[in-house]
Amino acid sequence: MRRKTKETDVTVELDSKGSIRTGDKVLDHLLTALFFYMGREAKVEATYDLRHHLWEDVGITLGEELREKIPEKFTRFGNAVMPMDDALVVVAVDISGRPYVNLELSFEEEEEGFEKTLVREFLWGLARSLKATVHVKTLSGVNAHHVIEAAFKGLGVALGKAIQESGKLESTKGLLEV
């Protein structure tokens, strides 16, 4: 999947061997963890003008790529409680057709490159294009790197569960608007 704008040029290919090269070492690190814990290989390449645009557009492109790869009948829900050193983060995903993000990241120690606002932009881009509800809540944590990395690992686990094939349509309405 490719997204090219005046601000970014992003390509995300799931189930492809390759490297993750966005030009942002923090985002590369977090995406590597996300795909590993999702249980999928991925190739990501990007160029950008501002980090804000990069993180949002990578989220959008990933959501579009996931939507194309989702089986006709899929599990829909996924969640994870992810520890990492001082951090403990809960992530829940519902690929329901209703984009929404509830992000409650908290930590005491900042670390260069690990920014709440960028995580929010990534998650909203993903939620809008995947048409998913995403909740991320910090239960505990001191270090920004640990909290944010735990969130991305948890997101990987939750997405991996949510996109698995299911034997039935996971909706009491009989319809998922995905």
Side-chain angles (χ1 to χ4, degrees):
M1 183 64 57
R2 184 173 183 202
R3 176 178 172 83
K4 183 173 173 55
T5 70
K6 292 179 181 179
E7 301 167 337
T8 65
D9 188 353
V10 176
T11 302
V12 175
E13 296 175 14
L14 280 177
D15 306 320
S16 292
K17 289 189 181 234
S19 58
I20 297 174
R21 294 186 317 224
T22 65
D24 181 324
K25 289 181 182 182
V26 171
L27 183 56
D28 291 355
H29 174 64
L30 296 171
L31 290 173
T32 298
L34 185 148
F35 293 124
F36 179 85
Y37 288 97
M38 190 188 302
R40 305 289 280 268
E41 291 193 16
K43 180 180 178 182
V44 180
E45 294 180 349
T47 58
Y48 64 98
D49 59 355
L50 301 173
R51 288 182 79 211
H52 174 106
H53 298 149
L54 171 67
W55 285 58
E56 179 181 24
D57 284 10
V58 168
I60 291 168
T61 310
L62 174 57
E64 290 171 347
E65 177 73 356
L66 283 168
R67 282 178 52 77
E68 279 207 357
K69 301 278 184 172
I70 293 175
E72 186 177 334
K73 293 179 181 174
F74 58 96
T75 305
R76 177 180 167 181
F77 300 101
N79 59 70
V81 178
M82 189 60 63
M84 184 173 169
D85 301 339
D86 55 283
L88 184 60
V89 178
V90 174
V91 180
V93 173
D94 176 10
I95 305 174
S96 61
R98 296 183 300 276
Y100 179 77
V101 173
N102 178 17
L103 179 64
E104 297 179 30
L105 283 181
S106 59
F107 40 80
E108 298 169 25
E109 299 171 356
E110 302 287 332
E111 186 170 326
E112 185 178 347
F114 292 86
E115 300 172 27
K116 292 179 197 179
T117 57
L118 296 175
V119 175
R120 182 181 308 109
E121 292 307 316
F122 175 85
L123 290 176
W124 268 109
L126 175 70
R128 284 192 313 269
S129 60
L130 183 55
K131 297 185 179 177
T133 297
V134 180
H135 289 265
V136 177
K137 182 174 182 132
T138 306
L139 299 180
S140 65
V142 175
N143 179 273
H145 183 154
H146 298 161
V147 170
I148 291 172
E149 186 170 340
F152 271 74
K153 288 177 177 179
L155 181 62
V157 170
L159 286 171
K161 291 177 182 178
I163 63 175
Q164 288 180 357
E165 191 164 3
S166 175
K168 64 180 180 177
L169 179 67
E170 298 290 342
S171 172
T172 56
K173 294 179 187 180
L175 174 69
L176 274 176
E177 300 175 27
V178 193

